Amino acid sequence: MKLRNFLPITVALNLGAILSAQDREEAPPAPFIEGTVAGSAGGAIVNGDKAAFEERHQRQAGGAFGLEELRFAREANGSSLRFESRLLPVDGDYRLTGRWTPRDAVYVDFGYNRFRTFYDGSGKYFRPTAVFFTPDDERLHVDRERLWLELGFEPEDLPRLRLRYERLTRKGKKPSTALGETTFTGGLGPRSIVPAFWELDETRDILSADARFEADAYQWAAGLRYEHTEMDNARQNRRSPGEPAERAVTARDGTSSDMFSAHAFAERHFGEKLTASAAGLASTLDTNLEGSRIYGPDYDPIFDPAFVRAPFDPGLLDLAGGTRLKQYVASLNAVYSLSKHWSLRPSVRYEHLQSDNLATYVQTMTLPGGALQQQSLAAQTASNEDRLSERLEVRYVPRPTLTFSFRGEWTQAMGDLDERQVDVATHAATLDRLTDSTRLSQKYVIAGNWYVRPGLTFASEYYYKRRSADYDSPSDSTPAGSNDRYPAFIRKQAFDTHDVNVRVSWRPASMLSFVTRYDLQYSTNEMQGDGLETVRSARATTHIVSQSATWSPVPRLYLTGSANVVFDQLATPAASLVLNSDNNYVNASLGAGYAVSKRSDLYLDASHYRARDFSDNSAVSLPYGADQKYQAVSLTWVLRATDSLTYTFKYGYVTNRDEGTGGINDYDATILYAKAQYRF
């Protein structure tokens, strides 16, 4: 073949090679993908009170399985996508979150999360007669949901912008402290031990927009927030169950509110020694109210005037009203370095609160003779409060291993509350009261840290805090001897607290370390009633001793343990009615880990809790304190079968003994758990 016949072929081959090389150079890199998927199964075999177990461990008794973890991440061509999910239907635990970044400065964040909180809905135990009321289903729970979508723009040299929508819901049942009463007390009088619960149905929608910018010498931020809330809650309990006067009461609360707020923040560096910042907030809250409190043979009754009630059972019908709240906040802060050893951090904050409330309702009351009284009332309140807070922190660092700090906080608040209630039919004022209040608060903190040498550190802190309040009523329509003057009956209150703690961290050897802490808190409460002398209403003393240790005798084994011993005592001059009470307990834990092989580990966890503070005051009131012992132990085996596949197996046993409830909340449980995790 002649040369001119080879030439086109040669040029074509060379051109193809060049284009192929260019394609290889310009072709985008392959996407980077990684992720994790894990499934789990297990359960708890409970012998005893399942509701007490679920509240303590926040998991459902019985078997459970599901997708515990699914993570996925992909990056390619300057964009990324990440999401995480979880699906555990038995425990009501769901999660799906993600973040998509199509470009470097733009992102989309979204997600949905739902989890369940478990409660024990049983009532209280009355020891003298061994009376205990259990509802039809004491295994209560509340489901909380959160849904959000966020759009963001984050360029390098421009303000960062964020727009976010969020919805929060709360639905379910939980216990209430407004317990019903019973007279099954052996002649000791009525006691409130009958279980009560809340039926919750709440929704919040939040829309917010924010902007933020950061430069070398300054930064600022500003934002707007709108929030709409809808609530339809009911508090339900039974009174005198099993008695002729048995009745159920449902207090329903319907609320809708709209809140709008705007905030801004700015910070500026004036050289290396001074940094100053300022912030402000303005918000308004408008609320509409409706509700009722009705007695009947069962929950959610229709109002029946002929229904037999007990004397002085207070009821409520056709509640309607609204609230307008305004809040303004401004603050100034600074950090000033006097020298390399001294620095000051002063700040001041001002807040103004103003609220106006109006409500109309029909009050129902059963008179001693059995007649039902209905009275249409209109109530109006207005309040104003101005609060000024100052704070000053001084830091002294004489050398790198020694630091001292002092902090003082002061708050002054002055306000007034105007309360008016009128009988709609007669226009007569049933309440006309004006209350002026002055509240003062101060707190002083002294702290020090000393790094003696590597492995040995001392730290100590002391603070004193005092809160006082004075109330004056220039006008008050309630007579001086009335038993319905609260809160106007209180004239002065004072709360004093002293707290000191010492902490020592010591590492005597590279594989051995200790942390020891001691806390002492002493508090007193004083109160003066109208026309009475000032009395010390309570005195509380708390000692807390904490000790933890970590030891690794060999590289493949570690041991760690901690213990907390608490002595908490409360004394009151009203001890004949409420008794002096203790809240003393011991809480200890032990953990260990052992590397069986390069791919296998064993973990041991054990815990112990003991409280012996039960005080039987059944003759005049209810028992106080706890008498409980809780112990738990678990053994976990982790096996890494391959670099990508890991198995986890866990066995646990827990026991709970609660003498304060007569053993009704006792349980023993065996917990089994297995998980398989794969990484790709």
Side-chain angles (χ1 to χ4, degrees):
M1 185 178 294
K2 295 182 179 181
L3 180 60
R4 61 176 179 269
N5 295 330
F6 278 104
L7 186 59
I9 299 175
T10 305
V11 172
L13 291 175
N14 290 336
L15 181 60
I18 294 173
L19 293 176
S20 177
Q22 289 180 346
D23 289 340
R24 288 195 301 269
E25 293 176 358
E26 296 177 359
F32 172 74
I33 298 176
E34 65 175 357
T36 302
V37 58
S40 64
I45 305 172
V46 181
N47 181 21
D49 191 353
K50 293 181 173 60
F53 169 85
E54 291 176 349
E55 184 176 57
R56 178 64 184 258
H57 296 269
Q58 287 303 303
R59 59 179 298 171
Q60 185 165 306
F65 62 92
L67 180 67
E68 185 166 318
E69 179 185 28
L70 175 59
R71 298 175 184 267
F72 175 82
R74 183 183 186 274
E75 296 183 6
N77 297 329
S79 66
S80 64
L81 173 64
R82 298 177 182 272
F83 75 84
E84 174 189 347
S85 63
R86 182 167 61 243
L87 180 62
L88 300 173
V90 176
D91 289 333
D93 190 356
Y94 306 93
R95 181 177 177 84
L96 174 62
T97 64
R99 188 180 181 95
W100 177 44
T101 307
R103 298 181 181 179
D104 292 339
V106 179
Y107 72 87
V108 180
D109 191 270
F110 57 91
Y112 170 79
N113 186 26
R114 175 182 174 181
F115 67 94
R116 178 168 293 176
T117 304
F118 296 90
Y119 298 96
D120 183 356
S122 59
K124 303 300 180 183
Y125 177 73
F126 193 68
R127 180 172 287 190
T129 54
V131 174
F132 184 82
F133 292 91
T134 302
D136 295 336
D137 186 4
E138 62 177 347
R139 300 167 66 181
L140 308 181
H141 66 265
V142 173
D143 290 325
R144 292 171 170 84
E145 293 181 319
R146 179 170 169 246
L147 173 70
W148 72 92
L149 174 64
E150 179 177 318
L151 307 177
F153 178 58
E154 297 182 334
E156 292 185 1
D157 301 324
L158 294 174
R160 291 179 288 175
L161 306 177
R162 181 183 70 97
L163 180 65
R164 182 181 179 90
Y165 167 75
E166 190 169 2
R167 163 166 279 207
L168 305 173
T169 65
R170 191 168 70 139
K171 295 183 180 181
K173 292 183 179 181
K174 63 178 295 187
S176 169
T177 57
L179 304 178
E181 79 278 359
T182 180
T183 58
F184 291 147
T185 56
L188 294 176
R191 295 290 187 272
S192 296
I193 62 173
V194 181
F197 60 89
W198 278 101
E199 224 175 43
L200 303 177
D201 187 355
E202 302 174 355
T203 302
R204 294 169 57 199
D205 293 285
I206 304 170
L207 181 63
S208 60
D210 299 282
R212 187 181 186 92
F213 182 74
E214 296 181 6
D216 294 337
Y218 67 94
Q219 62 174 315
W220 60 263
L224 301 173
R225 177 186 174 98
Y226 169 75
E227 180 176 329
H228 178 75
T229 302
E230 294 281 350
M231 294 192 301
D232 184 13
N233 298 336
R235 186 175 62 192
Q236 301 178 330
N237 63 18
R238 290 193 176 274
R239 307 182 68 175
S240 305
E243 304 177 46
E246 179 178 357
R247 67 267 192 214
V249 56
T250 299
R252 187 160 293 279
D253 175 19
T255 304
S256 64
S257 63
D258 294 279
M259 186 187 73
F260 178 79
S261 65
H263 64 271
F265 162 81
E267 182 182 83
R268 178 65 186 270
H269 302 284
F270 299 91
E272 297 182 355
K273 290 190 174 183
L274 177 61
T275 299
S277 63
L281 167 72
S283 63
T284 61
L285 174 65
D286 292 295
T287 302
N288 295 316
L289 305 174
E290 60 180 22
S292 61
R293 177 182 171 88
I294 302 177
Y295 295 81
D298 207 345
Y299 298 132
D300 292 316
I302 298 175
F303 177 71
D304 182 5
F307 180 77
V308 178
R309 300 165 179 80
F312 305 111
D313 272 350
L316 191 67
L317 297 174
D318 302 327
L319 172 65
T323 299
R324 161 72 59 97
L325 174 67
K326 295 182 179 180
Q327 180 187 31
Y328 304 96
V329 181
S331 65
L332 296 173
N333 308 273
V335 178
Y336 181 60
S337 299
L338 297 171
S339 66
K340 70 175 184 177
H341 301 298
W342 291 91
S343 64
L344 301 178
R345 297 172 180 261
S347 65
V348 61
R349 183 178 188 270
Y350 170 75
E351 180 179 3
H352 174 75
L353 287 171
Q354 176 184 341
S355 68
D356 295 284
N357 312 280
L358 177 64
T360 60
Y361 56 96
V362 177
Q363 179 178 276
T364 63
M365 180 72 71
T366 306
L367 302 179
L372 179 65
Q373 180 189 66
Q374 299 187 49
Q375 186 179 18
S376 296
L377 299 171
Q380 182 177 7
T381 64
S383 65
N384 288 275
E385 184 178 79
D386 293 284
R387 184 179 302 172
L388 183 64
S389 302
E390 307 87 21
R391 172 174 169 152
L392 176 63
E393 182 177 354
V394 180
R395 293 187 179 183
Y396 175 54
V397 185
R399 55 178 182 267
T401 59
L402 186 62
T403 63
F404 299 97
S405 66
F406 165 81
R407 187 173 76 249
E409 301 175 8
W410 305 268
T411 300
Q412 308 86 39
M414 299 182 64
D416 58 74
L417 174 64
D418 190 0
E419 303 168 278
R420 299 178 185 273
Q421 183 173 273
V422 178
D423 188 309
V424 176
T426 64
H427 301 286
T430 58
L431 175 64
D432 188 354
R433 181 165 57 208
L434 176 63
T435 303
D436 296 330
S437 63
T438 301
R439 298 180 177 89
L440 302 175
S441 174
Q442 52 186 319
K443 182 178 180 179
Y444 305 95
V445 183
I446 301 175
N449 292 273
W450 182 24
Y451 304 93
V452 182
R453 57 179 174 79
L456 181 60
T457 303
F458 291 93
S460 181
E461 180 184 88
Y462 164 80
Y463 79 78
Y464 166 72
K465 183 176 182 179
R466 178 178 176 83
R467 292 178 295 138
S468 61
D470 293 319
Y471 304 96
D472 182 29
S473 298
S475 62
D476 189 356
S477 63
T478 55
S482 172
N483 61 357
D484 190 22
R485 298 197 63 219
Y486 184 84
F489 171 75
I490 300 175
R491 291 305 183 196
K492 291 185 177 181
Q493 290 177 307
F495 307 89
D496 291 270
T497 300
H498 298 266
D499 185 287
V500 61
N501 65 77
V502 179
R503 185 180 71 253
V504 180
S505 300
W506 182 37
R507 186 184 293 272
S510 60
M511 308 297 285
L512 180 64
S513 63
F514 301 93
V515 177
T516 305
R517 182 183 175 110
Y518 170 71
D519 289 78
L520 168 63
Q521 187 175 96
Y522 177 77
S523 302
T524 59
N525 299 343
E526 294 181 349
M527 188 192 76
Q528 181 184 7
D530 190 18
L532 302 176
E533 297 292 332
T534 301
V535 297
R536 176 171 290 180
S537 56
R539 183 185 71 251
T541 304
T542 304
H543 301 267
I544 303 175
V545 180
S546 305
Q547 177 65 62
S548 64
T550 302
W551 181 37
S552 297
V554 294
R556 63 195 307 173
L557 172 66
Y558 77 85
L559 300 169
T560 180
S562 65
N564 297 291
V565 182
V566 178
F567 299 94
D568 189 357
Q569 300 173 327
L570 175 66
T572 171
S576 59
L577 297 176
V578 297
L579 292 181
N580 295 330
S581 62
D582 294 337
N583 184 27
N584 307 326
Y585 62 89
V586 176
N587 198 357
S589 65
L590 174 66
Y594 180 68
V596 180
S597 65
K598 292 183 178 181
R599 293 188 174 273
S600 178
D601 299 319
L602 282 177
Y603 299 95
L604 173 68
D605 294 284
S607 62
H608 170 80
Y609 168 82
R610 185 69 172 105
R612 299 181 181 180
D613 307 316
F614 187 82
S615 300
D616 194 351
N617 196 33
S618 303
V620 294
S621 181
L622 289 173
Y624 289 86
D627 188 356
Q628 184 179 7
K629 181 172 68 174
Y630 171 86
Q631 294 175 324
V633 62
S634 66
L635 182 65
T636 304
W637 177 35
V638 178
L639 174 63
R640 293 176 292 278
T642 66
D643 293 340
S644 302
L645 183 61
T646 301
Y647 298 101
T648 302
F649 305 94
K650 182 177 181 179
Y651 168 83
Y653 182 79
V654 297
T655 177
N656 181 69
R657 297 293 179 266
D658 191 352
E659 298 298 329
T661 62
I664 296 175
N665 286 341
D666 291 357
Y667 62 84
D668 299 301
T670 299
I671 300 174
L672 302 173
Y673 171 82
K675 181 178 76 170
Q677 182 185 70
Y678 179 74
R679 292 187 176 91
F680 57 89

